[in-house]
Amino acid sequence: MNPIEEWLTQPEGLADRLRALRTQAGLSGKQLAEANGWAPSKVSRLENGRQMPAPADLYAWARACGADDAAQDLLRMLGEVQAVHRDWRRRMRQGQAAVQDSYNQLVAESRLIRHFETVYVPGLLQTADYARRILTEMVELHNLDVADVDAAVATRMQRQHLLYDTSKRFEFLLAEPVLRWLLCPPEVMRGQLDRLQTVVGVPNIRFGILPLGVQLATTPQNSFQMYDDVAIVETFVGETTHRDDEASAYATAIERLWNEAVTGEDARRLIVRAAQDLPH
C-alpha cells in the first residue's frame, strides 16, 4: 500500500468519512454515482483510497448525501492527505511490486480500460521477458532502493487474467513505433509481437495500430492510460493523474486517434511485418 492510500484509509480517515456519509444518507454506491454523473467505480475508488479526490468531488459527495455542512471538514481532511503526498518517483523507491499491485487494483475496479502507447507495449499485454526488461531499466533510471524486479514482473503478470473478464472493455491503441523500438533482445521482441497477435479479434478488446506514413489529424503527443473517467500519464520523472475536464480531453484525444488506426487483419499484418524485420 502506498503512503497516500495508507493516509486515505486510516481509521476515521477521509475514505472512512466518505463511506460513513453515504451510509448515513441511505445511498448505495451506484445511487451516489448516478446522483453525481460518475462511473460507479469512482465511488469504490474514493471509498477505498484508490483515488485522490478533487475538492469538487468532496462538494458533490456532501451535496448528494444531504450534508453540505460536511464539505469543509472533508476539505480539511483532504488538505492533510495532500500534505503527505508522495510523488511517483519516491513511491517507486519503495519497490515496484507495490506500484504494480496498485495498478492491478485499478484495473480490477474499472469497467473501461484504455491505453494509447507511443513507446511501450501496454503492461496488460506484455510477456514476462519484455516486462522484466522494462522493469529492470526502472531500477537504474529511478535509482531505486529496492530492486524487486522478479516480484514486480509476477505482480504485473497477475493483472492479465482480467483481460478475460467479459464485464470489462479494453482498448489498446499502439503507435506503430511500439512494434519497432528494440528495447529488448530480438528473440524477446519476437515473442512479444506474437503475444500481441493473440488479442486481435478478442470480443471485449479493441486493438489497433496507428500506422506510420498516414496523415494524422491528431498529433500523438504522449502515451496515457484511462481507467473509466481517470487518465494517468507517466513520464521520466513522475506520474500525473487527471480527472474531470482534463480526463475528458484525453478521452476525446484517443477517440480522434482511433480515426486513423488500423484494426483486425490490417493490424495483424503490421505486427507480422515488424517481426519479420527483426534482426536474427
Side-chain angles (χ1 to χ4, degrees), residues 188-231:
V188 172
M189 192 62 189
R190 190 169 286 108
Q192 178 60 74
L193 293 172
D194 286 345
R195 165 68 173 131
L196 288 182
Q197 291 195 60
T198 67
V199 300
V200 176
V202 174
N204 65 323
I205 297 177
R206 183 186 189 189
F207 179 86
I209 297 171
L210 198 61
L212 294 169
V214 172
Q215 185 172 347
L216 302 177
T218 302
T219 304
Q221 296 184 38
N222 57 268
S223 303
F224 59 92
Q225 310 160 32
M226 294 199 70
Y227 302 90
D228 290 333
D229 55 354
V230 175

mmCIF file of all heavy atoms in Angstrom, residues 188-231:
data_model
loop_
_atom_site.group_PDB
_atom_site.id
_atom_site.type_symbol
_atom_site.label_atom_id
_atom_site.label_comp_id
_atom_site.label_asym_id
_atom_site.label_seq_id
_atom_site.Cartn_x
_atom_site.Cartn_y
_atom_site.Cartn_z
ATOM 1 N N VAL A 188 13.280 -11.777 -27.617
ATOM 2 C CA VAL A 188 12.257 -11.359 -26.657
ATOM 3 C C VAL A 188 11.175 -10.549 -27.384
ATOM 4 O O VAL A 188 9.974 -10.742 -27.152
ATOM 5 C CB VAL A 188 12.879 -10.537 -25.508
ATOM 6 C CG1 VAL A 188 11.789 -9.927 -24.624
ATOM 7 C CG2 VAL A 188 13.795 -11.415 -24.676
ATOM 8 N N MET A 189 11.600 -9.664 -28.277
ATOM 9 C CA MET A 189 10.639 -8.852 -29.012
ATOM 10 C C MET A 189 9.795 -9.715 -29.928
ATOM 11 O O MET A 189 8.587 -9.461 -30.104
ATOM 12 C CB MET A 189 11.365 -7.767 -29.812
ATOM 13 C CG MET A 189 10.440 -6.705 -30.381
ATOM 14 S SD MET A 189 9.583 -5.813 -29.040
ATOM 15 C CE MET A 189 8.401 -4.840 -29.974
ATOM 16 N N ARG A 190 10.390 -10.754 -30.489
ATOM 17 C CA ARG A 190 9.629 -11.654 -31.357
ATOM 18 C C ARG A 190 8.500 -12.326 -30.568
ATOM 19 O O ARG A 190 7.356 -12.420 -31.033
ATOM 20 C CB ARG A 190 10.567 -12.688 -31.974
ATOM 21 C CG ARG A 190 9.933 -13.522 -33.077
ATOM 22 C CD ARG A 190 10.970 -14.338 -33.838
ATOM 23 N NE ARG A 190 11.768 -13.488 -34.735
ATOM 24 C CZ ARG A 190 13.053 -13.160 -34.526
ATOM 25 N NH1 ARG A 190 13.694 -13.600 -33.453
ATOM 26 N NH2 ARG A 190 13.684 -12.387 -35.386
ATOM 27 N N GLY A 191 8.817 -12.776 -29.379
ATOM 28 C CA GLY A 191 7.793 -13.371 -28.528
ATOM 29 C C GLY A 191 6.721 -12.365 -28.138
ATOM 30 O O GLY A 191 5.539 -12.702 -28.056
ATOM 31 N N GLN A 192 7.152 -11.119 -27.918
ATOM 32 C CA GLN A 192 6.191 -10.075 -27.549
ATOM 33 C C GLN A 192 5.244 -9.777 -28.711
ATOM 34 O O GLN A 192 4.034 -9.604 -28.514
ATOM 35 C CB GLN A 192 6.930 -8.806 -27.125
ATOM 36 C CG GLN A 192 6.025 -7.648 -26.771
ATOM 37 C CD GLN A 192 5.098 -7.967 -25.614
ATOM 38 O OE1 GLN A 192 5.521 -8.021 -24.471
ATOM 39 N NE2 GLN A 192 3.818 -8.202 -25.895
ATOM 40 N N LEU A 193 5.775 -9.726 -29.917
ATOM 41 C CA LEU A 193 4.927 -9.467 -31.075
ATOM 42 C C LEU A 193 3.949 -10.620 -31.311
ATOM 43 O O LEU A 193 2.790 -10.398 -31.692
ATOM 44 C CB LEU A 193 5.791 -9.210 -32.310
ATOM 45 C CG LEU A 193 6.611 -7.909 -32.263
ATOM 46 C CD1 LEU A 193 7.585 -7.850 -33.438
ATOM 47 C CD2 LEU A 193 5.702 -6.683 -32.265
ATOM 48 N N ASP A 194 4.402 -11.840 -31.073
ATOM 49 C CA ASP A 194 3.490 -12.986 -31.167
ATOM 50 C C ASP A 194 2.352 -12.845 -30.162
ATOM 51 O O ASP A 194 1.195 -13.166 -30.460
ATOM 52 C CB ASP A 194 4.249 -14.298 -30.914
ATOM 53 C CG ASP A 194 5.135 -14.704 -32.083
ATOM 54 O OD1 ASP A 194 4.947 -14.147 -33.187
ATOM 55 O OD2 ASP A 194 6.009 -15.567 -31.896
ATOM 56 N N ARG A 195 2.685 -12.385 -28.977
ATOM 57 C CA ARG A 195 1.666 -12.196 -27.931
ATOM 58 C C ARG A 195 0.611 -11.186 -28.373
ATOM 59 O O ARG A 195 -0.589 -11.368 -28.140
ATOM 60 C CB ARG A 195 2.349 -11.741 -26.634
ATOM 61 C CG ARG A 195 1.430 -11.164 -25.567
ATOM 62 C CD ARG A 195 0.516 -12.204 -24.974
ATOM 63 N NE ARG A 195 -0.247 -11.674 -23.853
ATOM 64 C CZ ARG A 195 -1.557 -11.808 -23.707
ATOM 65 N NH1 ARG A 195 -2.263 -12.449 -24.614
ATOM 66 N NH2 ARG A 195 -2.173 -11.314 -22.647
ATOM 67 N N LEU A 196 1.027 -10.117 -29.028
ATOM 68 C CA LEU A 196 0.079 -9.103 -29.467
ATOM 69 C C LEU A 196 -0.949 -9.684 -30.442
ATOM 70 O O LEU A 196 -2.118 -9.291 -30.431
ATOM 71 C CB LEU A 196 0.809 -7.934 -30.131
ATOM 72 C CG LEU A 196 1.616 -7.013 -29.215
ATOM 73 C CD1 LEU A 196 2.235 -5.888 -30.028
ATOM 74 C CD2 LEU A 196 0.765 -6.449 -28.089
ATOM 75 N N GLN A 197 -0.509 -10.617 -31.264
ATOM 76 C CA GLN A 197 -1.435 -11.198 -32.238
ATOM 77 C C GLN A 197 -2.590 -11.930 -31.568
ATOM 78 O O GLN A 197 -3.675 -12.038 -32.144
ATOM 79 C CB GLN A 197 -0.697 -12.162 -33.163
ATOM 80 C CG GLN A 197 0.275 -11.497 -34.113
ATOM 81 C CD GLN A 197 0.685 -12.440 -35.215
ATOM 82 O OE1 GLN A 197 -0.143 -12.929 -35.980
ATOM 83 N NE2 GLN A 197 1.975 -12.715 -35.303
ATOM 84 N N THR A 198 -2.379 -12.433 -30.358
ATOM 85 C CA THR A 198 -3.404 -13.245 -29.701
ATOM 86 C C THR A 198 -4.612 -12.427 -29.254
ATOM 87 O O THR A 198 -5.664 -13.002 -28.972
ATOM 88 C CB THR A 198 -2.836 -13.990 -28.476
ATOM 89 O OG1 THR A 198 -2.471 -13.042 -27.453
ATOM 90 C CG2 THR A 198 -1.626 -14.826 -28.856
ATOM 91 N N VAL A 199 -4.475 -11.102 -29.166
ATOM 92 C CA VAL A 199 -5.606 -10.294 -28.698
ATOM 93 C C VAL A 199 -6.394 -9.677 -29.844
ATOM 94 O O VAL A 199 -7.447 -9.089 -29.621
ATOM 95 C CB VAL A 199 -5.152 -9.186 -27.717
ATOM 96 C CG1 VAL A 199 -4.487 -9.793 -26.501
ATOM 97 C CG2 VAL A 199 -4.239 -8.174 -28.396
ATOM 98 N N VAL A 200 -5.876 -9.804 -31.079
ATOM 99 C CA VAL A 200 -6.607 -9.286 -32.233
ATOM 100 C C VAL A 200 -7.888 -10.101 -32.406
ATOM 101 O O VAL A 200 -7.853 -11.321 -32.540
ATOM 102 C CB VAL A 200 -5.750 -9.351 -33.514
ATOM 103 C CG1 VAL A 200 -6.569 -8.893 -34.718
ATOM 104 C CG2 VAL A 200 -4.497 -8.494 -33.368
ATOM 105 N N GLY A 201 -9.019 -9.423 -32.355
ATOM 106 C CA GLY A 201 -10.285 -10.106 -32.554
ATOM 107 C C GLY A 201 -10.966 -10.608 -31.298
ATOM 108 O O GLY A 201 -12.069 -11.156 -31.369
ATOM 109 N N VAL A 202 -10.335 -10.456 -30.119
ATOM 110 C CA VAL A 202 -10.983 -10.857 -28.872
ATOM 111 C C VAL A 202 -12.182 -9.930 -28.646
ATOM 112 O O VAL A 202 -12.049 -8.700 -28.733
ATOM 113 C CB VAL A 202 -9.989 -10.785 -27.690
ATOM 114 C CG1 VAL A 202 -10.703 -11.065 -26.376
ATOM 115 C CG2 VAL A 202 -8.853 -11.787 -27.903
ATOM 116 N N PRO A 203 -13.375 -10.480 -28.355
ATOM 117 C CA PRO A 203 -14.604 -9.667 -28.347
ATOM 118 C C PRO A 203 -14.587 -8.434 -27.447
ATOM 119 O O PRO A 203 -15.114 -7.391 -27.826
ATOM 120 C CB PRO A 203 -15.674 -10.669 -27.896
ATOM 121 C CG PRO A 203 -15.153 -11.993 -28.334
ATOM 122 C CD PRO A 203 -13.660 -11.914 -28.163
ATOM 123 N N ASN A 204 -14.012 -8.543 -26.246
ATOM 124 C CA ASN A 204 -14.066 -7.395 -25.337
ATOM 125 C C ASN A 204 -12.807 -6.526 -25.415
ATOM 126 O O ASN A 204 -12.586 -5.673 -24.559
ATOM 127 C CB ASN A 204 -14.285 -7.846 -23.888
ATOM 128 C CG ASN A 204 -13.124 -8.656 -23.341
ATOM 129 O OD1 ASN A 204 -12.522 -9.440 -24.074
ATOM 130 N ND2 ASN A 204 -12.797 -8.482 -22.075
ATOM 131 N N ILE A 205 -11.991 -6.751 -26.453
ATOM 132 C CA ILE A 205 -10.761 -5.977 -26.631
ATOM 133 C C ILE A 205 -10.790 -5.274 -27.985
ATOM 134 O O ILE A 205 -10.966 -5.907 -29.028
ATOM 135 C CB ILE A 205 -9.510 -6.873 -26.538
ATOM 136 C CG1 ILE A 205 -9.407 -7.495 -25.148
ATOM 137 C CG2 ILE A 205 -8.248 -6.062 -26.864
ATOM 138 C CD1 ILE A 205 -8.235 -8.461 -24.998
ATOM 139 N N ARG A 206 -10.618 -3.968 -27.943
ATOM 140 C CA ARG A 206 -10.455 -3.183 -29.170
ATOM 141 C C ARG A 206 -8.956 -2.938 -29.325
ATOM 142 O O ARG A 206 -8.341 -2.273 -28.481
ATOM 143 C CB ARG A 206 -11.215 -1.857 -29.047
ATOM 144 C CG ARG A 206 -11.194 -0.980 -30.294
ATOM 145 C CD ARG A 206 -11.856 0.360 -29.982
ATOM 146 N NE ARG A 206 -12.052 1.176 -31.176
ATOM 147 C CZ ARG A 206 -12.446 2.451 -31.163
ATOM 148 N NH1 ARG A 206 -12.692 3.050 -29.987
ATOM 149 N NH2 ARG A 206 -12.590 3.132 -32.282
ATOM 150 N N PHE A 207 -8.380 -3.495 -30.373
ATOM 151 C CA PHE A 207 -6.930 -3.388 -30.563
ATOM 152 C C PHE A 207 -6.664 -2.735 -31.912
ATOM 153 O O PHE A 207 -7.228 -3.138 -32.942
ATOM 154 C CB PHE A 207 -6.282 -4.774 -30.529
ATOM 155 C CG PHE A 207 -4.785 -4.743 -30.735
ATOM 156 C CD1 PHE A 207 -3.928 -4.537 -29.660
ATOM 157 C CD2 PHE A 207 -4.243 -4.878 -32.003
ATOM 158 C CE1 PHE A 207 -2.559 -4.487 -29.849
ATOM 159 C CE2 PHE A 207 -2.870 -4.825 -32.205
ATOM 160 C CZ PHE A 207 -2.024 -4.626 -31.122
ATOM 161 N N GLY A 208 -5.806 -1.723 -31.902
ATOM 162 C CA GLY A 208 -5.469 -1.045 -33.143
ATOM 163 C C GLY A 208 -4.060 -0.507 -33.144
ATOM 164 O O GLY A 208 -3.406 -0.423 -32.104
ATOM 165 N N ILE A 209 -3.599 -0.184 -34.330
ATOM 166 C CA ILE A 209 -2.254 0.373 -34.509
ATOM 167 C C ILE A 209 -2.377 1.653 -35.325
ATOM 168 O O ILE A 209 -3.088 1.695 -36.341
ATOM 169 C CB ILE A 209 -1.330 -0.632 -35.214
ATOM 170 C CG1 ILE A 209 -1.157 -1.887 -34.347
ATOM 171 C CG2 ILE A 209 0.032 0.000 -35.509
ATOM 172 C CD1 ILE A 209 -0.449 -3.028 -35.040
ATOM 173 N N LEU A 210 -1.702 2.680 -34.880
ATOM 174 C CA LEU A 210 -1.647 3.952 -35.594
ATOM 175 C C LEU A 210 -0.443 3.867 -36.525
ATOM 176 O O LEU A 210 0.705 3.955 -36.070
ATOM 177 C CB LEU A 210 -1.496 5.096 -34.592
ATOM 178 C CG LEU A 210 -1.823 6.509 -35.060
ATOM 179 C CD1 LEU A 210 -3.282 6.615 -35.495
ATOM 180 C CD2 LEU A 210 -1.517 7.514 -33.961
ATOM 181 N N PRO A 211 -0.672 3.655 -37.822
ATOM 182 C CA PRO A 211 0.457 3.338 -38.716
ATOM 183 C C PRO A 211 1.280 4.550 -39.103
ATOM 184 O O PRO A 211 0.782 5.680 -39.150
ATOM 185 C CB PRO A 211 -0.237 2.728 -39.935
ATOM 186 C CG PRO A 211 -1.581 3.372 -39.951
ATOM 187 C CD PRO A 211 -1.956 3.614 -38.509
ATOM 188 N N LEU A 212 2.534 4.291 -39.387
ATOM 189 C CA LEU A 212 3.397 5.316 -39.953
ATOM 190 C C LEU A 212 3.000 5.555 -41.411
ATOM 191 O O LEU A 212 2.434 4.682 -42.071
ATOM 192 C CB LEU A 212 4.864 4.860 -39.880
ATOM 193 C CG LEU A 212 5.445 4.712 -38.470
ATOM 194 C CD1 LEU A 212 6.798 4.011 -38.530
ATOM 195 C CD2 LEU A 212 5.579 6.064 -37.797
ATOM 196 N N GLY A 213 3.289 6.735 -41.899
ATOM 197 C CA GLY A 213 3.024 7.029 -43.300
ATOM 198 C C GLY A 213 1.594 7.425 -43.600
ATOM 199 O O GLY A 213 1.203 7.544 -44.762
ATOM 200 N N VAL A 214 0.794 7.607 -42.540
ATOM 201 C CA VAL A 214 -0.598 8.031 -42.719
ATOM 202 C C VAL A 214 -0.739 9.450 -42.179
ATOM 203 O O VAL A 214 -0.250 9.756 -41.090
ATOM 204 C CB VAL A 214 -1.549 7.078 -41.961
ATOM 205 C CG1 VAL A 214 -2.970 7.625 -41.979
ATOM 206 C CG2 VAL A 214 -1.508 5.687 -42.571
ATOM 207 N N GLN A 215 -1.386 10.325 -42.937
ATOM 208 C CA GLN A 215 -1.584 11.693 -42.460
ATOM 209 C C GLN A 215 -2.516 11.671 -41.258
ATOM 210 O O GLN A 215 -3.579 11.051 -41.286
ATOM 211 C CB GLN A 215 -2.166 12.570 -43.569
ATOM 212 C CG GLN A 215 -2.287 14.029 -43.166
ATOM 213 C CD GLN A 215 -2.675 14.920 -44.338
ATOM 214 O OE1 GLN A 215 -2.626 14.488 -45.494
ATOM 215 N NE2 GLN A 215 -3.056 16.145 -44.033
ATOM 216 N N LEU A 216 -2.102 12.355 -40.190
ATOM 217 C CA LEU A 216 -2.846 12.335 -38.937
ATOM 218 C C LEU A 216 -3.519 13.677 -38.680
ATOM 219 O O LEU A 216 -2.902 14.728 -38.841
ATOM 220 C CB LEU A 216 -1.913 12.003 -37.766
ATOM 221 C CG LEU A 216 -1.148 10.682 -37.849
ATOM 222 C CD1 LEU A 216 -0.218 10.539 -36.651
ATOM 223 C CD2 LEU A 216 -2.108 9.509 -37.929
ATOM 224 N N ALA A 217 -4.752 13.628 -38.247
ATOM 225 C CA ALA A 217 -5.460 14.845 -37.860
ATOM 226 C C ALA A 217 -5.146 15.237 -36.423
ATOM 227 O O ALA A 217 -5.275 16.391 -36.040
ATOM 228 C CB ALA A 217 -6.967 14.645 -38.025
ATOM 229 N N THR A 218 -4.732 14.250 -35.619
ATOM 230 C CA THR A 218 -4.398 14.486 -34.215
ATOM 231 C C THR A 218 -2.977 14.027 -33.951
ATOM 232 O O THR A 218 -2.614 12.888 -34.273
ATOM 233 C CB THR A 218 -5.365 13.722 -33.286
ATOM 234 O OG1 THR A 218 -6.699 14.144 -33.563
ATOM 235 C CG2 THR A 218 -5.039 13.984 -31.819
ATOM 236 N N THR A 219 -2.149 14.887 -33.388
ATOM 237 C CA THR A 219 -0.756 14.554 -33.111
ATOM 238 C C THR A 219 -0.661 13.631 -31.893
ATOM 239 O O THR A 219 -1.202 13.958 -30.833
ATOM 240 C CB THR A 219 0.060 15.835 -32.839
ATOM 241 O OG1 THR A 219 -0.086 16.716 -33.951
ATOM 242 C CG2 THR A 219 1.532 15.499 -32.638
ATOM 243 N N PRO A 220 0.013 12.483 -32.018
ATOM 244 C CA PRO A 220 0.174 11.564 -30.872
ATOM 245 C C PRO A 220 1.271 12.054 -29.932
ATOM 246 O O PRO A 220 2.400 11.572 -29.931
ATOM 247 C CB PRO A 220 0.551 10.235 -31.549
ATOM 248 C CG PRO A 220 1.224 10.633 -32.826
ATOM 249 C CD PRO A 220 0.557 11.908 -33.267
ATOM 250 N N GLN A 221 0.926 13.020 -29.097
ATOM 251 C CA GLN A 221 1.932 13.737 -28.318
ATOM 252 C C GLN A 221 2.560 12.894 -27.207
ATOM 253 O O GLN A 221 3.737 13.027 -26.911
ATOM 254 C CB GLN A 221 1.318 15.000 -27.711
ATOM 255 C CG GLN A 221 0.866 16.006 -28.749
ATOM 256 C CD GLN A 221 0.344 17.285 -28.112
ATOM 257 O OE1 GLN A 221 0.873 17.761 -27.119
ATOM 258 N NE2 GLN A 221 -0.699 17.849 -28.686
ATOM 259 N N ASN A 222 1.763 12.066 -26.539
ATOM 260 C CA ASN A 222 2.313 11.288 -25.426
ATOM 261 C C ASN A 222 1.421 10.094 -25.127
ATOM 262 O O ASN A 222 0.231 10.074 -25.469
ATOM 263 C CB ASN A 222 2.460 12.143 -24.159
ATOM 264 C CG ASN A 222 1.157 12.772 -23.710
ATOM 265 O OD1 ASN A 222 0.844 13.898 -24.089
ATOM 266 N ND2 ASN A 222 0.387 12.057 -22.913
ATOM 267 N N SER A 223 2.011 9.106 -24.490
ATOM 268 C CA SER A 223 1.258 7.934 -24.045
ATOM 269 C C SER A 223 0.380 8.312 -22.860
ATOM 270 O O SER A 223 0.701 9.217 -22.093
ATOM 271 C CB SER A 223 2.219 6.823 -23.615
ATOM 272 O OG SER A 223 3.102 6.474 -24.659
ATOM 273 N N PHE A 224 -0.721 7.594 -22.694
ATOM 274 C CA PHE A 224 -1.540 7.758 -21.497
ATOM 275 C C PHE A 224 -2.449 6.545 -21.345
ATOM 276 O O PHE A 224 -2.649 5.761 -22.273
ATOM 277 C CB PHE A 224 -2.362 9.051 -21.544
ATOM 278 C CG PHE A 224 -3.298 9.169 -22.722
ATOM 279 C CD1 PHE A 224 -4.617 8.732 -22.631
ATOM 280 C CD2 PHE A 224 -2.878 9.728 -23.919
ATOM 281 C CE1 PHE A 224 -5.486 8.854 -23.704
ATOM 282 C CE2 PHE A 224 -3.737 9.849 -25.005
ATOM 283 C CZ PHE A 224 -5.047 9.412 -24.896
ATOM 284 N N GLN A 225 -2.972 6.406 -20.139
ATOM 285 C CA GLN A 225 -3.895 5.329 -19.808
ATOM 286 C C GLN A 225 -5.157 5.941 -19.233
ATOM 287 O O GLN A 225 -5.101 6.988 -18.593
ATOM 288 C CB GLN A 225 -3.274 4.397 -18.756
ATOM 289 C CG GLN A 225 -1.878 3.923 -19.078
ATOM 290 C CD GLN A 225 -1.151 3.429 -17.840
ATOM 291 O OE1 GLN A 225 -1.760 2.889 -16.919
ATOM 292 N NE2 GLN A 225 0.158 3.620 -17.809
ATOM 293 N N MET A 226 -6.278 5.263 -19.428
ATOM 294 C CA MET A 226 -7.525 5.730 -18.830
ATOM 295 C C MET A 226 -8.226 4.565 -18.148
ATOM 296 O O MET A 226 -8.328 3.470 -18.705
ATOM 297 C CB MET A 226 -8.444 6.353 -19.881
ATOM 298 C CG MET A 226 -7.903 7.636 -20.484
ATOM 299 S SD MET A 226 -9.189 8.623 -21.293
ATOM 300 C CE MET A 226 -10.141 9.188 -19.868
ATOM 301 N N TYR A 227 -8.673 4.831 -16.929
ATOM 302 C CA TYR A 227 -9.439 3.858 -16.152
ATOM 303 C C TYR A 227 -10.784 4.506 -15.855
ATOM 304 O O TYR A 227 -10.874 5.390 -14.997
ATOM 305 C CB TYR A 227 -8.683 3.494 -14.873
ATOM 306 C CG TYR A 227 -7.306 2.935 -15.175
ATOM 307 C CD1 TYR A 227 -6.202 3.778 -15.266
ATOM 308 C CD2 TYR A 227 -7.122 1.574 -15.415
ATOM 309 C CE1 TYR A 227 -4.949 3.277 -15.583
ATOM 310 C CE2 TYR A 227 -5.866 1.058 -15.728
ATOM 311 C CZ TYR A 227 -4.793 1.916 -15.809
ATOM 312 O OH TYR A 227 -3.550 1.416 -16.133
ATOM 313 N N ASP A 228 -11.798 4.107 -16.615
ATOM 314 C CA ASP A 228 -13.090 4.784 -16.575
ATOM 315 C C ASP A 228 -12.887 6.275 -16.830
ATOM 316 O O ASP A 228 -12.498 6.650 -17.933
ATOM 317 C CB ASP A 228 -13.817 4.505 -15.260
ATOM 318 C CG ASP A 228 -14.291 3.050 -15.150
ATOM 319 O OD1 ASP A 228 -14.532 2.431 -16.203
ATOM 320 O OD2 ASP A 228 -14.414 2.544 -14.031
ATOM 321 N N ASP A 229 -13.079 7.118 -15.843
ATOM 322 C CA ASP A 229 -13.012 8.564 -16.061
ATOM 323 C C ASP A 229 -11.747 9.187 -15.474
ATOM 324 O O ASP A 229 -11.703 10.382 -15.207
ATOM 325 C CB ASP A 229 -14.244 9.253 -15.469
ATOM 326 C CG ASP A 229 -14.448 8.927 -13.984
ATOM 327 O OD1 ASP A 229 -13.691 8.088 -13.460
ATOM 328 O OD2 ASP A 229 -15.360 9.504 -13.378
ATOM 329 N N VAL A 230 -10.703 8.388 -15.302
ATOM 330 C CA VAL A 230 -9.425 8.874 -14.782
ATOM 331 C C VAL A 230 -8.333 8.614 -15.820
ATOM 332 O O VAL A 230 -8.241 7.512 -16.359
ATOM 333 C CB VAL A 230 -9.057 8.175 -13.463
ATOM 334 C CG1 VAL A 230 -7.666 8.589 -12.995
ATOM 335 C CG2 VAL A 230 -10.090 8.488 -12.390
ATOM 336 N N ALA A 231 -7.522 9.630 -16.104
ATOM 337 C CA ALA A 231 -6.403 9.491 -17.034
ATOM 338 C C ALA A 231 -5.095 9.571 -16.264
ATOM 339 O O ALA A 231 -4.952 10.385 -15.348
ATOM 340 C CB ALA A 231 -6.450 10.584 -18.103
#
